[in-house]
Amino acid sequence: MSNAYRLLPMHPLWQIKQVINIGGMRRVDRCCYFGSRSSPDLWCTFMSLVLWISIHVCGIEGLLAYMDDNFAFDPEPELHFYEPYNTFFPHKQVAVLDLWDYLNIPHTCAKQLYDRTLTIIGFSVDSDLMVISLPTESTDLLVSAIRDFVNNASGRRFWSAHDEGLGFMANRPVAPDAVEDNIFWYEALTVLSALRWSASLPERFSRVAIFTDNLNTVQMFDSFRSREPYTFILLAAIEILIEHHIDLCVWHIPGEQNIIADALSRQLLSVIAQYAPWLHISSFEPPHVTSGLPI
């Protein structure tokens, strides 16, 4: 099992997007070490290319990757000498290290592991018994964490319309002329409205989850990327997140499970009464987004 050492610098134009706050000071994370929404994609994309070279150019069969880790089985019992570390490793492991040296990928000796039983991402993998299990220490920590979670369950709230007993309806504002997909615009505007409402509550939330059955909206808020005029909605949401220190997750819910919200959007009171007679419905005014800020 081999591990690349994460010291590869990011492109200077990307580094400006990797400014992080550590100990009250802002620092540029030039190596993408601490991670971001894009870090896993970047590392997996790069290592996938290295993996392709390993398999199709160097002929290292059965090689797999997890982020920047490479791992494989090697049935050859004989160990091979790797001069830079002055030690012996399985043949495939030496081949991987030789390739990394050729590509100038940095690595450390402490990360080069091999055995019949290894701990991989927290799991004990036994190649003799063909068993994957949690080490005893990890099992004890997991049980302790579950017990703490159960014992403190009364202090947590689940963000649910059923728990709140609240529903909201509004007349649809006119979408901008540049909008090509009205459904996408209104779904994104609804997410912004829900975020603004949650930020206005007396009880402040540091984490907010919003469900929508529109995949474009989920993708926009997950990547924080969009094109005009949807950018205005995204910028308005970012202003709220920064001002109120909210961590937002927008998750997808299948349309067939989104009956109440769909009925609210169509003002189908009879359907709402059938599926959610407990729901208290109020009207609201959607934010008027014209320049990135809600009015």
Side-chain angles (χ1 to χ4, degrees):
M1 181 178 182
S2 303
N3 182 282
Y5 192 52
R6 297 188 180 188
L7 283 180
L8 296 176
M10 306 301 297
H11 191 281
L13 294 180
W14 183 262
Q15 291 179 23
I16 61 176
K17 302 180 180 181
Q18 288 290 120
V19 178
I20 56 178
N21 192 348
I22 301 179
M25 299 181 63
R26 296 197 178 277
R27 302 176 183 272
V28 177
D29 181 14
R30 57 185 297 269
C31 296
C32 203
Y33 183 84
F34 290 93
S36 67
R37 290 177 180 268
S38 300
S39 297
D41 291 337
L42 293 171
W43 280 103
C44 289
T45 300
F46 175 79
M47 189 51 71
S48 293
L49 175 59
V50 176
L51 192 65
W52 187 93
I53 297 173
S54 304
I55 297 173
H56 296 282
V57 178
C58 299
I60 307 175
E61 297 181 352
L63 189 65
L64 300 173
Y66 178 81
M67 292 294 292
D68 60 338
D69 291 337
N70 282 150
F71 58 94
F73 68 93
D74 195 339
E76 183 179 327
E78 183 180 355
L79 299 180
H80 293 249
F81 184 70
Y82 179 65
E83 185 175 357
Y85 291 149
N86 192 31
T87 188
F88 290 85
F89 294 112
H91 170 68
K92 289 185 179 181
Q93 196 156 357
V94 172
V96 169
L97 292 174
D98 287 339
L99 173 62
W100 285 0
D101 292 338
Y102 178 79
L103 296 175
N104 291 320
I105 298 176
H107 51 82
T108 60
C109 183
K111 295 289 187 178
Q112 314 314 315
L113 306 176
Y114 73 92
D115 205 338
R116 306 181 77 89
T117 300
L118 283 177
T119 299
I120 303 176
I121 58 172
F123 291 91
S124 178
V125 180
D126 190 322
S127 62
D128 290 329
L129 299 178
M130 297 298 288
V131 171
I132 299 177
S133 60
L134 278 176
T136 302
E137 181 180 357
S138 298
T139 302
D140 293 340
L141 289 174
L142 177 60
V143 171
S144 177
I146 292 174
R147 286 175 176 171
D148 289 342
F149 181 86
V150 172
N151 293 335
N152 298 323
S154 59
R156 299 185 180 89
R157 293 185 60 185
F158 180 72
W159 184 265
S160 167
H162 192 284
D163 290 342
E164 294 294 335
L166 300 176
F168 297 92
M169 293 193 309
N171 294 322
R172 289 188 301 176
V174 178
D177 295 335
V179 170
E180 298 177 358
D181 186 348
N182 283 352
I183 295 178
F184 180 16
W185 168 265
Y186 289 123
E187 292 278 0
L189 188 63
T190 301
V191 170
L192 173 61
S193 301
L195 175 62
R196 188 178 69 163
W197 173 79
S198 66
S200 69
L201 295 174
E203 182 181 358
R204 297 299 176 91
F205 298 95
S206 60
R207 295 182 177 89
V208 174
I210 299 176
F211 293 85
T212 176
D213 59 9
N214 186 267
L215 287 173
N216 287 334
T217 301
V218 173
Q219 183 179 20
M220 184 179 79
F221 281 95
D222 182 62
S223 64
F224 278 97
R225 292 186 298 177
S226 65
R227 56 184 175 85
E228 294 187 1
Y230 307 99
T231 304
F232 298 149
I233 294 179
L234 192 56
L235 290 176
I238 292 174
E239 288 288 334
I240 296 174
L241 296 178
I242 294 176
E243 179 182 355
H244 297 276
H245 306 285
I246 294 175
D247 183 11
L248 173 67
C249 285
V250 178
W251 289 327
H252 179 255
I253 182 173
E256 59 270 16
Q257 298 179 17
N258 205 29
I259 299 175
I260 299 175
D262 184 69
L264 284 169
S265 68
R266 302 171 187 272
Q267 299 189 5
L268 300 177
L269 299 180
S270 61
V271 175
I272 297 172
Q274 177 183 356
Y275 287 95
W278 38 263
L279 198 64
H280 176 73
I281 302 174
S282 301
S283 61
F284 76 101
E285 181 70 21
H288 300 282
V289 182
T290 57
S291 60
L293 297 176
I295 300 175

